[in-house]
Amino acid sequence: MWRELAPVGRDSGSGGYRRYAWTGADADCRAWFREQAEARGLAYEVDRNGNQWAWLGDPAAGDAVVTGSHLDSVPDGGAFDGPLGVVSALAAVDELRARGHAPQRPLGIVNFGDEEGARFGLACVGSRLTAGVLDPARARELRDGDGVTLALAMERAGYDPDALGPDPERLARIGAFVELHIEQGRALAGTPHPVGVASAIWPHGRWRFDFHGEANHAGTTRLADRRDPMLTYAASVLTAREQAELAGALATFAKISVEPNGVNAIPSLVRGWLDSRAADEDTLAALVSAVEKAAVARGHADGVEVAVTRESFTPVVDFDHGLRDRLARGLGGAPVLPTGAGHDAGILSGAVPTAMLYVRNPTGVSHSPAESAEEDDCVAGVHALADALEGLTCGS
């Protein structure tokens, strides 16, 4: 499975993956998932939000156990973030069948669409829509860098954007969701544990900072006469780092657009996106507020207007304690770890008992072609997931 999926959406130059929502690479990933489901005799379906499902047993029976993750990527992302969870879910079903286990509850595998938000700027679109925490009208109007709306992209891919919306009946049929994921850090490195269990997801969000200045000639405009938004943006980047260090949190400006974007032109507009995460919501709010306040103050000095828009926010997620503790016991007291990364499991946690397993990442690198995991650890993850699914579907 891994060898078949590995070439899909991989850029020959960077070695990273560009599996963006509703593109050709995404279609190839979806076709792969369907083929894997049908090869196992699983009932295949696509829900109203474009998420793919494969079922062992009748999902209408309710109290289903579901596992899975996503197949899309960040720009030039790694091979493991998302796909490891989907591949491991399929392999875990194979393992359960090899054991002769007959699930007494429906068992599902899901590939959630557009988890990374690489194309349209909002993460976890498929699970957010399903959980009813994203307005369908807003989703349809999301635009990529070329101005293409999500609705148009879906239509071009053969899906109906008018069908987007909450799916409470589907969620009501799910009794537990367990997502396996590559560890995005090094907490397990150097320990005897190839697999850990998630405790919580830090609150996190994305904020767009618009720095409005005045376009002018870079070679003739005196420094004193400039209203250069790039200066305000650069100062804000440094402020975000300083404030994050003071708060023991995380803040990153990693995406930027510039107008008119000429080498010899002072920009009229610099737009930067801030990704920020913290252990609690008060710390996060204070951090973002401090960055905004400093940006506005610096903008005043530079003759630049600053506007800040919150584009997404996910509150703190505490995974279901009973399910979390059950998984940890099954792994012989595996480490229970928090994370700053968002996941579909976090989005679903408000409606479904959810938990996560992490597979050890020796370098801790994620969202990069350097992302990796040892094969033995991946196999241990499959066995851990199979053990969890067996216990959850045995009827007890």
Side-chain angles (χ1 to χ4, degrees):
M1 282 188 291
W2 198 255
R3 285 192 299 271
E4 291 175 3
L5 186 60
V8 179
R10 190 171 192 177
D11 181 74
S12 58
S14 69
Y17 289 90
R18 300 177 182 180
R19 297 168 174 163
Y20 307 147
W22 309 117
T23 63
D26 184 55
D28 290 343
C29 287
R30 288 172 174 273
W32 177 88
F33 181 88
R34 180 171 186 169
E35 290 167 2
Q36 294 295 328
E38 293 177 344
R40 289 166 173 76
L42 305 177
Y44 171 81
E45 63 173 332
V46 179
D47 67 21
R48 64 186 301 178
N49 298 307
N51 304 310
Q52 295 176 289
W53 301 79
W55 292 99
L56 180 61
D58 181 9
D63 202 26
V65 177
V66 177
T67 186
S69 192
H70 63 95
L71 294 175
D72 66 313
S73 75
V74 298
D76 287 329
F80 294 84
D81 183 349
L84 182 62
V86 177
V87 171
S88 297
L90 293 161
V93 169
D94 295 341
E95 171 68 15
L96 291 177
R97 283 175 161 168
R99 296 177 184 178
H101 174 64
Q104 298 178 34
R105 297 166 63 181
L107 176 58
I109 299 173
V110 61
N111 168 36
F112 281 111
D114 201 5
E115 193 270 356
E116 295 290 8
R119 182 176 181 186
F120 298 102
L122 179 63
C124 299
V125 169
S127 56
R128 285 181 190 273
L129 285 164
T130 299
V133 295
L134 172 60
D135 179 65
R138 181 194 172 201
R140 284 188 283 268
E141 291 302 314
L142 292 171
R143 294 177 182 271
D144 66 12
D146 295 321
V148 177
T149 64
L150 184 145
L152 180 56
M154 287 187 69
E155 286 180 349
R156 289 174 174 174
Y159 293 82
D160 180 13
D162 291 333
L164 296 178
D167 205 343
E169 293 182 1
R170 179 177 297 275
L171 291 180
R173 297 198 299 265
I174 300 175
F177 176 66
V178 180
E179 181 174 2
L180 179 143
H181 203 278
I182 186 73
E183 182 191 10
Q184 294 171 291
R186 298 189 67 252
L188 295 175
T191 77
H193 301 282
V195 183
V197 180
S199 60
I201 297 176
W202 281 11
H204 55 278
R206 298 177 181 181
W207 289 261
R208 189 185 77 235
F209 281 63
D210 294 335
F211 303 89
H212 295 273
E214 181 180 57
N216 217 326
H217 197 299
T220 62
T221 310
R222 296 190 315 157
L223 295 180
D225 294 337
R226 299 185 179 201
R227 295 175 52 214
D228 187 351
M230 189 64 76
L231 295 178
T232 316
Y233 166 74
S236 299
V237 173
L238 297 177
T239 297
R241 175 58 181 261
E242 294 167 358
Q243 292 297 325
E245 289 180 341
L246 291 172
L250 301 169
T252 310
F253 277 102
K255 180 180 177 180
I256 183 175
S257 69
V258 182
E259 297 177 10
N261 204 28
V263 174
N264 59 349
I266 298 167
S268 59
L269 170 65
V270 174
R271 180 169 285 145
W273 281 264
L274 173 69
D275 178 299
S276 191
R277 304 157 193 252
D280 60 80
E281 294 177 27
D282 288 343
T283 300
L284 179 59
L287 169 57
V288 175
S289 177
V291 176
E292 179 178 356
K293 183 178 179 180
V296 170
R298 176 59 190 251
H300 182 73
D302 294 333
V304 172
E305 295 180 3
V306 180
V308 180
T309 303
R310 188 178 80 176
E311 293 193 338
S312 69
F313 176 74
T314 302
V316 64
V317 172
D318 260 326
F319 287 112
D320 184 86
H321 288 196
L323 187 54
R324 178 198 68 192
D325 294 345
R326 181 173 183 169
L327 295 183
R329 287 195 302 270
L331 288 169
V336 179
L337 313 168
T339 180
H343 300 283
D344 293 310
I347 300 299
L348 297 186
S349 65
V352 175
T354 60
M356 291 189 69
L357 296 173
Y358 294 134
V359 173
R360 182 166 50 194
N361 180 341
T363 66
V365 174
S366 186
H367 284 189
S368 159
E371 183 179 81
S372 68
E374 298 295 333
E375 185 173 315
D376 287 347
D377 288 354
C378 293
V379 172
V382 170
H383 287 299
L385 181 60
D387 289 345
L389 298 178
E390 182 174 19
L392 291 168
T393 60
C394 69
S396 61

